[in-house]
């Protein structure tokens, strides 16, 4: 059995210079697709479930599904992570259902729509860190509000993230504040804002530095070289998938995601977790459309789901290879939660934020 914490996995990724894609799941097919891809290339995995996924599948179904995936693939270290936890209760109940890691997204208030102030974010994130570390689970915090620099924040098509306009400053994580935040909260990983947003419609053109501010990642890494950075909204929305979706009756306006080469640039600057949901959705639904269009008499759902699962598996495998995750599963000896808890209590895992934080630019 290989249920691993985010902290142990990202420590390993940092030591070896790779990143781990964190794929969202809502159902069995997505879970199997990720594990098949991981097994093919010997990659450790992060599977994450949003609050929406937990209410869609139900906690009981989800937690037993993860147990089954873990038992089916005992050689693949599997981190189960709560995506965008909005309060202490969401995070605590995730841990109670076997999640080894939680995101406390205190950049937004509990409604997950209103931008929160810094003090609120620090206080709630620190409370979640305290409760999670008691049992050895890891915590990802977020500083800065995810949203489009082109649109000034809001206008996220899938209802995720801040509602309405926010200031340009709020959309880019402040490096000085990041140092303070990590020290004050003791998070294991830090999600930062640099112009990405959730969903398919991230950029209206191939992004350059004006709308995808990778320099912010590099600056934060310079100040916090020991902190694991997380990129949200990191689907690439590949053109071939857009084309396939539209070829078979879809109506997706032309859009651009985060180019893989920009993510690889981030990995050289401390990015260790890369969140991808939209690409997996698109890979599957483009295939649904194709099957529906080409086999108009088909009514067996497996004839839709099996090729869709294969498409998602191929996408996941490609990301494992591109991010350098491939080949590392067998090199990790999983540390149990109880030992992680002991290490936190002993102060052995406290963030090291004093190294280069004050080096002048
Ligand atoms: O946070 C955004 C993820 O893509 C999850 O989306 O809440 O629709 O499951 P969801
Ligand atoms: P995408 O919508 O780009 O896949 O981002 C997913 C994400 O950040 C989940 O937290
Ligand atoms: Zn996200």
């Amino acid at each position: 059995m290989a249920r691993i914490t985010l902290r142990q996995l990202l420590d390993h990724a940092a030591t070896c210079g790779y990143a781990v894609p964190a794929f969202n799941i809502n159902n069995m097919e997505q879970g199997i697709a990720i594990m098949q891809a991981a097994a093919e290339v010997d990659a450790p995995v992060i599977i994450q479930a949003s609050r929406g996924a937990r209410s869609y599948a139900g906690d009981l179904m989800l937690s037993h599904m993860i147990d089954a995936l873990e038992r089916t693939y005992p050689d693949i270290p599997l981190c189960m992570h709560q995506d965008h936890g909005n309060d202490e209760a969401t995070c605590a109940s995730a841990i109670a259902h076997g999640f080894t890691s939680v995101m406390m997204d205190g950049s937004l208030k509990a409604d997950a729509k209103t931008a929160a102030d810094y003090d609120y974010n620090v206080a709630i994130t620190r409370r979640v860190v305290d409760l999670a570390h008691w049992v050895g689970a890891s915590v990802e915090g977020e500083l800065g509000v995810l949203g489009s620099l082109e649109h000034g924040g809001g206008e996220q098509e899938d209802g995720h993230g801040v509602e309405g306009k926010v200031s340009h400053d709020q959309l880019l994580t402040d490096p000085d504040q990041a140092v303070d935040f990590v020290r004050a909260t003791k998070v294991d990983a830090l999600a930062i804002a640099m112009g990405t947003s959730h969903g398919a419609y991230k950029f209206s053109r191939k992004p350059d530095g004006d709308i995808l501010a990778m320099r912010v990642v590099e600056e934060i890494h310079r100040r916090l070289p020991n902190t694991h950075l997380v990129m949200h909204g990191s689907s690439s929305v590949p053109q071939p998938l857009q084309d396939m979706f539209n070829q078979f009756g879809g109506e997706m306006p032309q859009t651009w995601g985060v180019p893989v080469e920009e993510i690889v640039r981030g990995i050289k600057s401390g990015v260790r977790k890369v969140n991808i949901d939209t690409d997996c959705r698109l890979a599957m639904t483009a295939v649904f459309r194709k099957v529906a269009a080409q086999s108009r008499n088909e009514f067996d759902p497996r004839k839709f789901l099996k090729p869709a699962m294969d498409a998602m598996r191929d996408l996941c495998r490609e990301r494992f290879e591109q991010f350098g995750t491939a080949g590392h599963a067998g090199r990790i000896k999983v540390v149990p939660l109880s030992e992680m808890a002991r290490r936190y209590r002993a102060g052995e895992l406290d963030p090291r934020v004093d190294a280069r934080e004050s080096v002048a630019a």
Side-chain angles (χ1 to χ4, degrees):
M1 305 298 268
R3 189 87 53 114
I4 192 172
T5 60
L6 186 73
R7 176 60 185 270
Q8 191 202 346
L9 180 50
L10 299 194
D11 281 352
H12 187 267
T15 302
C16 300
Y18 66 94
V20 187
F23 298 115
N24 288 70
I25 68 162
N26 297 271
N27 58 32
M28 179 189 81
E29 286 76 11
Q30 293 174 308
I32 292 176
I34 297 164
M35 297 309 285
Q36 281 180 347
E40 282 178 17
V41 298
D42 192 40
V45 306
I46 301 170
I47 292 181
Q48 54 187 11
S50 64
R51 284 187 298 138
R54 286 176 63 186
S55 67
Y56 174 80
D59 280 340
L60 204 55
M61 190 64 75
L62 207 50
S63 61
H64 283 77
M65 205 162 79
I66 299 306
D67 287 347
L69 292 172
E70 186 187 12
R71 290 173 64 177
T72 309
Y73 295 92
D75 299 328
I76 300 295
L78 188 169
C79 169
M80 187 61 209
H81 177 80
Q82 167 75 56
D83 191 22
H84 291 282
N86 63 326
D87 61 15
E88 297 94 325
T90 298
C91 296
S93 58
I95 294 169
H97 282 97
F99 289 48
T100 48
S101 177
V102 294
M103 176 187 193
M104 177 58 236
D105 181 357
S107 72
L108 301 175
K109 296 252 182 80
D111 65 5
K113 295 201 177 312
T114 313
D117 63 41
Y118 182 69
D119 291 343
Y120 171 92
N121 192 355
V122 169
I124 194 164
T125 306
R126 180 60 202 247
R127 285 198 295 278
V128 170
V129 166
D130 284 343
L131 78 84
H133 286 182
W134 274 116
V135 292
S138 320
V139 180
E140 171 188 337
E142 174 164 328
L143 185 64
V145 172
L146 283 186
S148 158
L149 293 165
E150 281 182 286
H151 302 135
E155 299 184 20
Q156 307 213 25
E157 83 285 353
D158 63 354
H160 272 289
V162 70
E163 220 167 57
K165 307 276 181 203
V166 288
S167 75
H168 194 266
D169 283 358
Q170 287 173 286
L171 295 169
L172 294 173
T173 303
D174 179 302
D176 288 329
Q177 212 172 43
V179 173
D180 190 68
F181 185 80
V182 171
R183 187 190 285 120
T185 60
K186 300 191 177 193
V187 287
D188 300 287
L190 179 67
I192 56 180
M194 80 304 279
T196 64
S197 54
H198 292 133
Y201 306 104
K202 300 180 194 305
F203 305 111
S204 64
R205 56 185 162 90
K206 188 171 188 298
D208 56 19
D210 288 344
I211 53 178
L212 177 59
M214 295 306 292
R215 64 184 180 280
V216 170
V217 180
E218 289 162 353
E219 180 56 20
I220 293 171
H221 180 57
R222 203 181 62 72
R223 312 265 186 111
L224 288 168
N226 301 310
T227 297
H228 306 313
L229 304 181
V230 182
M231 277 178 70
H232 281 247
S234 291
S235 278
S236 302
V237 202
Q239 192 64 48
L241 291 181
Q242 292 185 49
D243 292 344
M244 182 172 168
F245 187 87
N246 286 336
Q247 183 187 345
F248 296 105
E251 293 184 3
M252 175 173 277
Q254 178 62 47
T255 180
W256 280 263
V258 182
V260 169
E261 63 265 25
E262 296 295 341
I263 298 172
V264 169
R265 178 177 163 194
I267 295 170
K268 293 187 182 119
S269 289
V271 170
R272 301 288 163 232
K273 174 172 180 279
V274 182
N275 283 18
I276 296 175
D277 186 0
T278 297
D279 282 354
C280 299
R281 295 180 183 198
L282 189 54
M284 293 189 91
T285 53
V287 170
F288 293 162
R289 289 195 168 280
K290 183 176 179 192
V291 175
Q294 291 187 337
S295 310
R296 297 177 72 89
N297 61 350
E298 188 54 70
F299 61 90
D300 179 348
R302 291 171 299 184
K303 296 288 184 347
F304 293 77
L305 288 165
K306 176 68 172 64
M309 195 159 63
D310 292 348
M312 177 164 160
R313 179 203 59 212
D314 292 349
L315 182 122
C316 294
R317 191 181 50 226
E318 200 180 6
R319 296 293 177 268
F320 285 134
E321 284 165 344
Q322 290 162 325
F323 300 168
T325 335
H328 286 287
R331 298 181 186 148
I332 299 171
K333 189 172 171 337
V334 172
V335 174
L337 275 177
S338 54
E339 170 58 15
M340 292 301 287
R342 188 202 63 73
R343 291 181 191 178
Y344 283 120
R345 278 199 297 279
E348 293 170 19
L349 299 174
D350 281 352
R352 287 177 291 140
V353 293
D354 51 353
R356 282 186 247 166
E357 71 204 41
S358 56
V359 175

